[in-house]
Amino acid sequence: MNRRSFVGAVAGLGAGLAGCLGGGAGITKTSVEHVEPRRNRERRPTIVEFDGDAGAIHVLGFMRYGSSSCNRVGIDSTAYDREANTLRVVLASKSKNPLPTGCTADMAATWYRATVGFAEELPQQVTVVEQRGDETEKRTVDRSEQRTLCTSEHPPDSAAATKAHWTCPERYVAVSDSE
């Protein structure tokens, strides 16, 4: 086997595995970053934004994750079901360091923004699971209901508030303010 054939075969194998490692065909990237929300910093349900222009799903949430010196919020897994048109994203505490080191005994928390990029159409429904040690919080958002849900006019402890998006993606706020 010549060198070009070998390099081509290895590159093809890597590309083939990328879809499997990414959690399903169609997912092109995943990332999580620490963010500071611009408004309404109260603890609210997780927000899911369907960003068709960027070809991505953005998740904004607040999560406790363990030691501030050794842990961070990270994506534990993604599962995209093309036939059912659904995405499941699991967020959990992840280690910052590959080697064991001394950690502080604090319990840290942060606002995070997770992004899942897609090569094609965005899924119709997204389920976000936040694993916080023994606690698990799950939120499912349907793309067709997002505009209706995206309001802060629900009473704080009502059933509608539990399902609603309290801090809407900025593009929805701009539209609702102009109407």
Side-chain angles (χ1 to χ4, degrees), residues 123-139:
Q124 181 63 31
Q125 188 177 74
V126 175
T127 299
V128 178
V129 179
E130 293 177 338
Q131 294 179 333
R132 304 179 194 119
D134 294 339
E135 286 182 38
T136 299
E137 187 173 314
K138 184 169 100 170
R139 182 168 174 87

Side-chain angles (χ1 to χ4, degrees), residues 63-129:
M63 193 169 134
R64 297 192 191 294
Y65 61 88
S67 170
S68 62
S69 62
C70 291
N71 299 97
R72 62 180 173 78
V73 173
I75 294 177
D76 194 46
S77 66
T78 58
Y80 174 54
D81 184 336
R82 186 177 298 205
E83 287 185 29
N85 206 8
T86 60
L87 171 68
R88 181 180 172 92
V89 180
V90 179
L91 293 132
S93 178
K94 302 299 246 177
S95 177
K96 286 181 183 178
N97 307 317
L99 302 173
T101 59
C103 299
T104 57
D106 63 333
M107 176 58 91
T110 189
W111 285 94
Y112 68 86
R113 181 179 176 166
T115 300
V116 180
F118 284 84
E120 300 169 8
E121 281 288 313
L122 299 179
Q124 181 63 31
Q125 188 177 74
V126 175
T127 299
V128 178
V129 179

Side-chain angles (χ1 to χ4, degrees), residues 46-61:
T46 304
I47 301 161
V48 176
E49 178 184 2
F50 297 85
D51 188 348
D53 295 338
I57 300 292
H58 303 290
V59 178
L60 178 66

